[in-house]
């Protein structure tokens, strides 16, 4: 993937999806995180799980948009989560998302890599934005000359 092709992907919309926070699933996640059941779906981790689980692409499909596979070794970068209204068990949410940034960089030890930012927004049934998570993925570009 050329640097121009990379930059052209900024603004690409993700298909999105719908997710209902079923009580059994919320309970399993809270138990796995050793959190209090009283936290319910208001725990900020649910923003990331709901958003990425309902972005409309699998991780492999997202990687493919950037001409990468899991064998290339993509790495999770930064994350910034904003909760405007805590998520609620039993509620259905819609997720929308887009690619918000893309940059090619070169490191002394790592060589060439791309950092891609994407934002996923969670909306309630009234289409009100209740939470968002902005994350980045680092794609090593071993085939690119430094």
């Amino acid at each position: 993937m050329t640097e121009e092709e990379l930059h052209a992907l900024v603004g690409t919309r993700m298909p999105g999806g719908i997710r209902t926070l079923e009580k059994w699933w919320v309970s399993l996640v809270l138990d796995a995180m050793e959190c209090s059941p009283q936290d319910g779906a208001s725990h900020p981790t649910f923003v990331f799980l709901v958003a990425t689980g309902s972005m409309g692409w699998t991780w492999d499909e997202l990687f493919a948009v950037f001409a990468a596979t899991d064998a290339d070794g993509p790495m999770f970068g930064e994350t910034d989560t904003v909760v405007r209204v805590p998520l609620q068990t039993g509620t259905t949410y819609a997720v929308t998302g887009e690619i918000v940034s893309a940059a090619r960089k070169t490191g002394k030890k790592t060589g060439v890599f791309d950092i891609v930012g994407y934002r996923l927004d969670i909306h309630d049934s009234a289409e009100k934005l209740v939470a968002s998570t902005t994350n980045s993925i680092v794609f090593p570009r071993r085939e690119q000359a430094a």
Side-chain angles (χ1 to χ4, degrees), residues 6-7 10 66 75-78 99-106 112-118 135-141:
L6 174 69
H7 292 154
V10 174
F66 295 95
M75 297 166 276
F76 191 73
E78 298 178 339
I99 307 304
V100 295
S101 64
R104 177 151 295 160
K105 299 188 176 216
T106 303
V112 178
F113 59 96
D114 295 339
I115 301 177
V116 173
Y118 63 96
N135 306 288
S136 63
I137 300 174
V138 179
F139 292 102
R141 298 297 186 187

Side-chain angles (χ1 to χ4, degrees), residues 8-73:
L9 291 169
V10 174
T12 299
R13 305 284 304 164
M14 296 176 172
I18 303 291
R19 175 68 48 109
T20 300
L21 292 177
E22 302 290 348
K23 185 176 180 179
W24 66 267
W25 182 72
V26 171
S27 296
L28 284 175
V29 172
L30 289 171
D31 186 53
M33 295 189 308
E34 298 183 352
C35 290
S36 169
Q38 287 79 15
D39 286 348
S42 66
H43 194 286
T45 299
F46 284 97
V47 172
F48 181 81
L49 295 175
V50 168
T52 57
S54 302
M55 66 183 161
W57 286 333
T58 65
W59 289 108
D60 285 340
E61 290 168 333
L62 176 59
F63 298 164
V65 170
F66 295 95
T69 69
D70 62 347
D72 296 319

